[in-house]
Amino acid sequence: MAKQSELSVELIACSSFHPPADIAWQRPAEATDAEALIEFAGRACYETFHKPNPRTATNAAYLRHILEVGHTALFEHATATVYIRGLSRSATHELMRHRHFSFSQLSQRFVHTEEAEVVVPDLIAQDPELRQIFLHAVDDVRFVYEDLLQGLEERMSDEPNALLRKKQARQAARAILPNATESRVVVSGNFRAWRHFIGMRASEHADLEIRQLALECLSLLKQQAPVVFDDFEVSKLADGTWMATSPYVTD
Ligand SMILES: Cc1cc2nc3c(=O)[nH]c(=O)nc-3n(C[C@H](O)[C@H](O)[C@H](O)COP(=O)(O)OP(=O)(O)OC[C@H]3O[C@@H](n4cnc5c(N)ncnc54)[C@H](O)[C@@H]3O)c2cc1C
Protein backbone atom coordinates (compact mmCIF):
# COMPACT_ATOMS: atom_id res chain seq x y z
CA MET A 1 0.00 0.00 0.00
CA ALA A 2 1.11 3.60 -0.65
CA LYS A 3 3.09 5.23 2.15
CA GLN A 4 1.72 8.35 3.84
CA SER A 5 4.31 11.18 4.05
CA GLU A 6 4.55 13.67 6.87
CA LEU A 7 5.68 17.26 6.47
CA SER A 8 9.27 17.96 7.50
CA VAL A 9 10.82 21.43 7.31
CA GLU A 10 14.44 22.04 8.29
CA LEU A 11 16.39 25.26 8.28
CA ILE A 12 19.64 24.49 6.45
CA ALA A 13 21.13 27.98 6.00
CA CYS A 14 20.74 31.51 7.31
CA SER A 15 22.67 34.78 6.90
CA SER A 16 25.77 35.29 8.95
CA PHE A 17 27.08 38.79 9.55
CA HIS A 18 30.64 40.12 9.77
CA PRO A 19 30.58 43.88 10.47
CA PRO A 20 33.47 45.90 9.05
CA ALA A 21 36.09 46.39 11.75
CA ASP A 22 36.65 50.08 10.91
CA ILE A 23 33.03 51.22 11.44
CA ALA A 24 32.41 52.75 14.85
CA TRP A 25 29.20 50.85 15.54
CA GLN A 26 28.53 48.79 18.55
CA ARG A 27 26.95 45.60 17.32
CA PRO A 28 23.83 44.91 19.44
CA ALA A 29 24.72 41.96 21.63
CA GLU A 30 21.14 40.73 21.93
CA ALA A 31 20.51 40.63 18.17
CA THR A 32 20.98 37.58 15.96
CA ASP A 33 23.29 37.82 12.94
CA ALA A 34 20.33 38.37 10.61
CA GLU A 35 18.86 41.11 12.81
CA ALA A 36 22.19 42.89 13.24
CA LEU A 37 22.78 42.73 9.49
CA ILE A 38 19.42 44.41 8.78
CA GLU A 39 20.16 47.18 11.29
CA PHE A 40 23.63 47.67 9.82
CA ALA A 41 22.16 48.02 6.31
CA GLY A 42 19.65 50.60 7.57
CA ARG A 43 22.28 52.62 9.42
CA ALA A 44 24.56 52.48 6.36
CA CYS A 45 21.95 54.56 4.45
CA TYR A 46 22.44 57.65 6.65
CA GLU A 47 25.65 56.65 8.45
CA THR A 48 23.83 56.70 11.79
CA PHE A 49 26.16 54.12 13.29
CA HIS A 50 26.47 56.31 16.40
CA LYS A 51 22.70 55.79 17.07
CA PRO A 52 21.63 59.44 17.32
CA ASN A 53 17.95 58.61 17.95
CA PRO A 54 17.52 57.15 21.45
CA ARG A 55 14.07 55.78 20.50
CA THR A 56 15.64 53.43 17.93
CA ALA A 57 18.89 52.76 19.73
CA THR A 58 18.18 49.10 20.44
CA ASN A 59 18.10 46.59 17.64
CA ALA A 60 14.51 45.57 18.44
CA ALA A 61 13.31 49.19 18.38
CA TYR A 62 15.19 49.83 15.13
CA LEU A 63 13.68 46.82 13.38
CA ARG A 64 10.16 47.61 14.63
CA HIS A 65 10.58 51.14 13.30
CA ILE A 66 11.52 49.71 9.89
CA LEU A 67 8.29 47.72 9.90
CA GLU A 68 6.18 50.69 11.00
CA VAL A 69 7.51 53.02 8.30
CA GLY A 70 7.44 50.27 5.65
CA HIS A 71 11.16 50.43 4.88
CA THR A 72 11.05 46.65 4.43
CA ALA A 73 13.53 46.55 1.53
CA LEU A 74 16.08 46.35 4.34
CA PHE A 75 14.75 42.89 5.20
CA GLU A 76 16.02 41.67 1.84
CA HIS A 77 19.58 41.59 3.17
CA ALA A 78 18.94 38.61 5.43
CA THR A 79 18.18 35.26 3.84
CA ALA A 80 17.24 31.77 4.94
CA THR A 81 17.07 28.39 3.22
CA VAL A 82 14.85 25.49 4.21
CA TYR A 83 14.70 21.89 3.06
CA ILE A 84 11.12 20.67 2.81
CA ARG A 85 10.07 17.03 2.58
CA GLY A 86 6.64 15.49 2.71
CA LEU A 87 4.92 18.21 0.69
CA SER A 88 2.49 17.29 -2.10
CA ARG A 89 3.08 18.31 -5.69
CA SER A 90 -0.04 20.47 -5.48
CA ALA A 91 1.39 22.37 -2.50
CA THR A 92 4.82 22.76 -4.14
CA HIS A 93 3.01 24.22 -7.13
CA GLU A 94 1.39 26.81 -4.85
CA LEU A 95 4.73 27.49 -3.16
CA MET A 96 6.39 28.16 -6.50
CA ARG A 97 3.98 30.96 -7.28
CA HIS A 98 6.10 33.05 -4.91
CA ARG A 99 8.46 34.62 -7.40
CA HIS A 100 11.13 35.96 -5.08
CA PHE A 101 12.11 32.52 -3.80
CA SER A 102 14.72 30.22 -5.37
CA PHE A 103 13.85 26.54 -5.67
CA SER A 104 15.49 23.19 -6.30
CA GLN A 105 12.92 20.40 -6.47
CA LEU A 106 13.25 16.63 -6.55
CA SER A 107 13.24 15.41 -10.16
CA GLN A 108 10.54 12.90 -11.08
CA ARG A 109 12.47 12.17 -14.29
CA PHE A 110 15.72 11.16 -12.60
CA VAL A 111 14.59 9.78 -9.25
CA HIS A 112 12.41 6.70 -9.18
CA THR A 113 10.89 6.00 -5.75
CA GLU A 114 10.34 2.30 -5.13
CA GLU A 115 6.97 2.82 -3.46
CA ALA A 116 4.32 5.50 -3.86
CA GLU A 117 4.63 8.19 -1.19
CA VAL A 118 1.74 10.58 -0.90
CA VAL A 119 0.51 13.40 1.28
CA VAL A 120 -2.98 12.60 2.52
CA PRO A 121 -5.00 15.77 3.20
CA ASP A 122 -5.80 16.02 6.93
CA LEU A 123 -9.54 15.93 6.39
CA ILE A 124 -9.25 12.62 4.55
CA ALA A 125 -6.59 11.21 6.91
CA GLN A 126 -8.89 11.77 9.91
CA ASP A 127 -11.55 9.44 8.48
CA PRO A 128 -10.37 5.78 8.28
CA GLU A 129 -12.80 4.90 5.50
CA LEU A 130 -11.94 7.89 3.33
CA ARG A 131 -8.25 7.32 3.99
CA GLN A 132 -8.58 3.73 2.70
CA ILE A 133 -10.39 4.88 -0.44
CA PHE A 134 -7.68 7.48 -1.02
CA LEU A 135 -4.76 5.10 -0.53
CA HIS A 136 -6.37 2.39 -2.68
CA ALA A 137 -6.80 4.91 -5.50
CA VAL A 138 -3.12 5.85 -5.15
CA ASP A 139 -2.16 2.15 -5.36
CA ASP A 140 -4.25 1.75 -8.52
CA VAL A 141 -2.53 4.72 -10.10
CA ARG A 142 0.83 3.33 -9.08
CA PHE A 143 0.09 0.06 -10.90
CA VAL A 144 -0.83 1.99 -14.04
CA TYR A 145 2.34 4.09 -13.67
CA GLU A 146 4.56 1.00 -13.42
CA ASP A 147 2.77 -0.59 -16.43
CA LEU A 148 3.29 2.58 -18.44
CA LEU A 149 6.96 2.69 -17.47
CA GLN A 150 7.46 -0.89 -18.57
CA GLY A 151 5.59 -0.35 -21.84
CA LEU A 152 7.49 2.82 -22.61
CA GLU A 153 10.87 1.24 -21.93
CA GLU A 154 9.96 -1.64 -24.24
CA ARG A 155 8.89 0.80 -26.93
CA MET A 156 12.26 2.53 -26.66
CA SER A 157 14.35 -0.64 -26.50
CA ASP A 158 16.36 0.60 -29.54
CA GLU A 159 17.74 3.44 -27.43
CA PRO A 160 21.17 2.20 -26.18
CA ASN A 161 21.49 4.82 -23.42
CA ALA A 162 19.70 3.23 -20.44
CA LEU A 163 19.57 6.48 -18.46
CA LEU A 164 17.99 8.36 -21.37
CA ARG A 165 15.52 5.52 -21.88
CA LYS A 166 14.45 5.63 -18.24
CA LYS A 167 14.27 9.42 -18.20
CA GLN A 168 12.06 9.52 -21.27
CA ALA A 169 9.83 6.78 -19.89
CA ARG A 170 9.46 8.52 -16.52
CA GLN A 171 8.77 11.93 -17.98
CA ALA A 172 5.86 10.48 -19.97
CA ALA A 173 4.53 8.08 -17.32
CA ARG A 174 4.55 10.67 -14.52
CA ALA A 175 1.62 12.44 -16.19
CA ILE A 176 -0.60 9.91 -14.44
CA LEU A 177 0.76 10.54 -10.91
CA PRO A 178 -1.60 12.26 -8.47
CA ASN A 179 -1.34 15.79 -7.08
CA ALA A 180 -0.80 14.10 -3.70
CA THR A 181 2.59 12.69 -4.76
CA GLU A 182 5.21 13.56 -2.16
CA SER A 183 7.86 16.07 -3.24
CA ARG A 184 11.01 17.57 -1.75
CA VAL A 185 12.32 21.04 -2.31
CA VAL A 186 15.07 23.39 -1.17
CA VAL A 187 13.76 26.96 -0.88
CA SER A 188 15.87 30.07 -0.39
CA GLY A 189 14.52 33.52 0.14
CA ASN A 190 15.18 36.83 1.76
CA PHE A 191 13.23 37.86 4.86
CA ARG A 192 10.98 40.24 2.97
CA ALA A 193 9.93 37.39 0.67
CA TRP A 194 9.50 35.02 3.64
CA ARG A 195 7.33 37.58 5.42
CA HIS A 196 5.12 37.97 2.34
CA PHE A 197 4.86 34.20 1.88
CA ILE A 198 3.87 33.68 5.52
CA GLY A 199 1.37 36.54 5.35
CA MET A 200 -0.32 35.03 2.28
CA ARG A 201 -0.10 31.36 3.15
CA ALA A 202 -0.51 31.22 6.94
CA SER A 203 -3.82 32.99 6.43
CA GLU A 204 -7.08 31.18 7.19
CA HIS A 205 -7.95 31.48 3.48
CA ALA A 206 -4.98 29.39 2.36
CA ASP A 207 -5.12 25.64 1.77
CA LEU A 208 -4.38 23.76 4.99
CA GLU A 209 -1.26 22.00 3.71
CA ILE A 210 0.57 25.15 2.61
CA ARG A 211 -0.73 26.90 5.75
CA GLN A 212 0.97 24.25 7.88
CA LEU A 213 4.14 24.76 5.86
CA ALA A 214 3.97 28.55 6.35
CA LEU A 215 3.50 28.10 10.11
CA GLU A 216 6.49 25.75 10.30
CA CYS A 217 8.61 28.27 8.38
CA LEU A 218 7.44 31.05 10.69
CA SER A 219 8.49 29.05 13.72
CA LEU A 220 11.96 28.35 12.25
CA LEU A 221 12.48 31.95 11.13
CA LYS A 222 11.41 33.28 14.52
CA GLN A 223 14.36 31.44 16.00
CA GLN A 224 16.71 33.16 13.53
CA ALA A 225 15.25 36.64 13.82
CA PRO A 226 12.63 36.89 16.60
CA VAL A 227 11.99 40.61 16.14
CA VAL A 228 11.62 40.44 12.34
CA PHE A 229 8.80 37.89 12.62
CA ASP A 230 7.44 39.02 15.98
CA ASP A 231 4.42 40.81 14.50
CA PHE A 232 2.85 37.55 13.28
CA GLU A 233 0.18 36.44 15.68
CA VAL A 234 -0.57 32.73 15.71
CA SER A 235 -4.13 31.74 16.61
CA LYS A 236 -6.41 28.71 16.57
CA LEU A 237 -9.43 28.61 14.30
CA ALA A 238 -12.83 27.17 15.19
CA ASP A 239 -12.04 23.99 13.21
CA GLY A 240 -8.98 23.36 15.41
CA THR A 241 -6.40 24.34 12.76
CA TRP A 242 -3.90 27.17 13.14
CA MET A 243 -3.24 30.39 11.28
CA ALA A 244 -1.00 33.46 11.57
CA THR A 245 -1.51 37.06 10.54
CA SER A 246 0.39 40.31 10.76
CA PRO A 247 -1.04 43.83 10.58
CA TYR A 248 1.99 44.73 8.43
CA VAL A 249 1.42 42.17 5.65
CA THR A 250 -1.69 43.33 3.87
CA ASP A 251 -1.11 42.49 0.19
C1 LIG B 1 -5.84 32.06 -0.50
C2 LIG B 1 -5.19 32.06 -1.85
C3 LIG B 1 -5.91 31.64 -2.97
C4 LIG B 1 -5.31 31.64 -4.22
N1 LIG B 1 -6.03 31.21 -5.30
C5 LIG B 1 -5.48 31.23 -6.55
C6 LIG B 1 -6.21 30.81 -7.71
O1 LIG B 1 -7.35 30.40 -7.62
N2 LIG B 1 -5.59 30.86 -8.92
C7 LIG B 1 -4.31 31.33 -9.06
O2 LIG B 1 -3.79 31.38 -10.18
N3 LIG B 1 -3.59 31.72 -7.99
C8 LIG B 1 -4.13 31.69 -6.75
N4 LIG B 1 -3.39 32.08 -5.66
C9 LIG B 1 -1.99 32.48 -5.87
C10 LIG B 1 -1.83 34.01 -5.91
O3 LIG B 1 -2.55 34.56 -6.98
C11 LIG B 1 -0.35 34.39 -6.03
O4 LIG B 1 0.18 33.87 -7.25
C12 LIG B 1 0.51 33.86 -4.92
O5 LIG B 1 -0.11 34.05 -3.68
C13 LIG B 1 1.87 34.58 -4.94
O6 LIG B 1 1.73 35.85 -4.33
P1 LIG B 1 2.07 37.25 -5.01
O7 LIG B 1 1.74 37.24 -6.45
O8 LIG B 1 1.52 38.32 -4.15
O9 LIG B 1 3.55 37.40 -4.90
P2 LIG B 1 5.04 36.91 -4.91
O10 LIG B 1 5.39 36.27 -6.19
O11 LIG B 1 5.29 36.16 -3.63
O12 LIG B 1 5.71 38.33 -4.85
C14 LIG B 1 5.61 39.18 -3.72
C15 LIG B 1 5.20 40.58 -4.11
O13 LIG B 1 6.16 41.09 -5.04
C16 LIG B 1 5.49 41.94 -5.97
N5 LIG B 1 5.63 41.38 -7.32
C17 LIG B 1 6.12 40.16 -7.65
N6 LIG B 1 6.14 40.00 -8.96
C18 LIG B 1 5.62 41.13 -9.50
C19 LIG B 1 5.37 41.56 -10.82
N7 LIG B 1 5.61 40.80 -11.88
N8 LIG B 1 4.86 42.78 -10.99
C20 LIG B 1 4.58 43.59 -9.95
N9 LIG B 1 4.78 43.25 -8.65
C21 LIG B 1 5.30 42.02 -8.44
C22 LIG B 1 4.03 42.00 -5.56
O14 LIG B 1 3.86 43.10 -4.66
C23 LIG B 1 3.86 40.69 -4.81
O15 LIG B 1 2.77 40.73 -3.88
C24 LIG B 1 -3.97 32.07 -4.40
C25 LIG B 1 -3.26 32.50 -3.26
C26 LIG B 1 -3.84 32.51 -2.01
C27 LIG B 1 -3.02 32.96 -0.82
Side-chain angles (χ1 to χ4, degrees), residues 156-224:
M156 289 182 292
S157 54
D158 292 349
E159 171 54 62
N161 183 332
L163 186 66
L164 186 63
R165 214 168 48 236
K166 283 186 187 307
K167 200 173 85 176
Q168 287 182 341
R170 285 175 196 152
Q171 75 190 14
R174 69 172 170 172
I176 201 75
L177 293 177
N179 257 343
T181 303
E182 189 245 2
S183 191
R184 297 165 187 195
V185 59
V186 175
V187 186
S188 298
N190 64 56
F191 282 8
R192 190 184 201 184
W194 279 116
R195 283 181 52 79
H196 180 78
F197 166 72
I198 294 163
M200 294 292 105
R201 301 300 186 169
S203 135
E204 63 182 307
H205 305 295
D207 179 277
L208 183 57
E209 190 186 354
I210 198 161
R211 189 172 359 131
Q212 285 165 342
L213 170 68
L215 288 164
E216 291 271 339
C217 292
L218 174 62
S219 161
L220 290 171
L221 292 165
K222 265 190 170 176
Q223 291 165 33
Q224 300 304 313

Side-chain angles (χ1 to χ4, degrees), residues 96-103 188-190 192-194 196:
M96 283 172 200
R97 295 296 298 276
H98 293 275
R99 292 161 282 183
H100 299 294
F101 284 152
S102 305
F103 304 99
S188 298
N190 64 56
R192 190 184 201 184
W194 279 116
H196 180 78

